[in-house]
Amino acid sequence: MIFDSHAHYYAAAFDQDRNELLRKMNREQEVTTIVCPAENMLSSVKCVELAEEYDFIYAAVGVHPCYADSWNDDSIEELEKLLRHEKIVALGEMGLDYYRRDDNRDVQKRAFTEQLALASSKKMPVIIHDREAHGDMYDILWHYRPEGVMHCFSGSVELAREALQLGLYIGLGGSVTAVNAVRPVEVAKYVPLDRLVLETDAPYLIPRIYRTGENKYKRCESWMIRYVAQFIADLRGMETDQLLEITARNASNLYRIK
Ligand code: NI
């Protein structure tokens, strides 16, 4: 049982074989559920289309901090229109990314906080992206207190503790398996089992063993979560299938998928 809590299957990297890949993973590689989060308005529409086409795919809609410049006075209304679709389970991804851009912090904060306010009014969970913006991020989170997940968590154990105090889930994926992954490994050992979800962030973040040699892949795919689960299960001294099952249940709770 594999629940990929975060994968971008509208990405161009899947244009050649999207349908074959998705069907195969669902039929033969135990990928039972995928949540597809957006990055901007265009991909929000694409996520909804994927959710309409595949019964095991659910969508999130929202504007990623790297597209914060596209946020305007009409954005909330556009998202609200999309939210009428029943297979939208969250808003996102949204957040702050001062690694890729540090010159438009106020623009990023506006897009983020307006989406948090929308999520709160709709009582929906959010998918949060935080890259090198921890200070502003946690100030904003304590103010808005959203339900949701810190996706591809990259912070320290202390920050994980704070996210857990806020009631958020912690999303981990391929970066836990990187050679230099010290903090993610500590976090993978630390997070309580009922607050952990697994994700690929496909097509990005390929787990280490699929990056080199004969097994080399050019993109990340949801079935690779089994290796991430095995890696984390080993760290925690438990069975891979048990971890897959528990994290799938957590993701269902997070996104309220029955
Ligand atoms: Ni992502």
Side-chain angles (χ1 to χ4, degrees):
M1 176 195 282
I2 289 175
F3 189 134
D4 189 350
S5 65
H6 189 117
H8 303 275
Y9 278 105
Y10 55 81
F14 299 109
D15 281 353
Q16 296 301 315
D17 62 344
R18 183 175 293 104
N19 186 50
E20 296 93 294
L21 175 70
L22 288 170
R23 299 260 179 237
K24 185 175 178 218
M25 290 194 301
N26 185 230
R27 280 184 198 146
E28 299 166 27
Q29 294 172 305
E30 60 180 351
V31 176
T32 50
T33 317
I34 295 170
V35 171
C36 184
E39 293 166 296
N40 52 32
M41 289 300 171
L42 181 63
S43 53
S44 291
V45 173
K46 287 182 178 174
C47 288
V48 172
E49 285 170 358
L50 282 171
E52 275 174 353
E53 194 173 343
Y54 300 92
D55 58 359
F56 65 102
I57 295 184
Y58 295 82
V61 296
V63 175
H64 187 287
C66 292
Y67 290 90
D69 279 347
S70 70
W71 189 262
N72 58 47
D73 293 342
D74 300 326
S75 298
I76 286 290
E77 206 181 310
E78 285 174 50
L79 287 178
E80 273 183 327
K81 270 186 201 152
L82 284 172
L83 284 179
R84 289 177 201 147
H85 198 282
E86 59 174 19
K87 283 188 81 186
I88 295 176
V89 294
L91 279 160
E93 52 188 284
M94 62 173 78
L96 302 172
D97 191 326
Y98 296 165
Y99 173 79
R100 279 198 258 182
R101 266 191 83 174
D102 197 28
D103 61 334
N104 67 342
R105 290 185 177 201
D106 287 342
V107 176
Q108 291 192 37
K109 282 186 210 168
R110 180 191 167 200
F112 183 32
T113 54
E114 289 189 15
Q115 289 181 91
L116 285 173
L118 176 64
S120 156
S121 76
K122 300 285 180 188
K123 297 190 169 38
M124 290 184 79
V126 295
I127 300 169
I128 301 163
H129 173 105
D130 169 23
R131 195 154 179 212
E132 296 192 8
H134 304 318
D136 285 348
M137 172 57 68
Y138 283 81
D139 284 349
I140 289 171
L141 290 178
W142 280 113
H143 183 79
Y144 286 88
R145 300 295 301 264
E147 289 178 63
V149 56
M150 296 299 281
H151 125 76
C152 190
F153 190 82
S154 60
S156 60
V157 165
E158 287 69 33
L159 282 177
R161 187 176 298 130
E162 196 169 343
L164 293 163
Q165 282 165 357
L166 281 155
L168 297 166
Y169 287 83
I170 303 280
L172 294 176
S175 23
V176 175
T177 69
V179 183
N180 57 354
V182 179
R183 286 201 312 195
V185 164
E186 285 172 2
V187 169
K189 285 193 258 190
Y190 167 76
V191 180
L193 266 186
D194 64 346
R195 306 307 288 176
L196 180 64
V197 297
L198 300 180
E199 60 170 65
T200 54
D201 206 15
Y204 319 108
L205 305 182
I206 306 171
R208 185 176 67 202
I209 57 161
Y210 302 116
R211 283 177 185 274
T212 53
E214 283 173 33
N215 282 331
K216 193 168 176 175
Y217 283 80
K218 286 204 176 72
R219 65 185 184 193
C220 189
E221 301 170 4
S222 294
W223 58 268
M224 293 176 184
I225 278 190
R226 173 162 278 282
Y227 170 67
V228 176
Q230 189 190 332
F231 188 91
I232 296 176
D234 283 351
L235 289 173
R236 303 183 66 120
M238 59 189 291
E239 295 297 321
T240 304
D241 281 316
Q242 192 191 5
L243 184 70
L244 283 170
E245 207 170 294
I246 292 169
T247 51
R249 196 164 59 222
N250 294 342
S252 298
N253 290 338
L254 157 67
Y255 294 124
R256 301 166 195 156
I257 296 171
K258 291 199 182 98

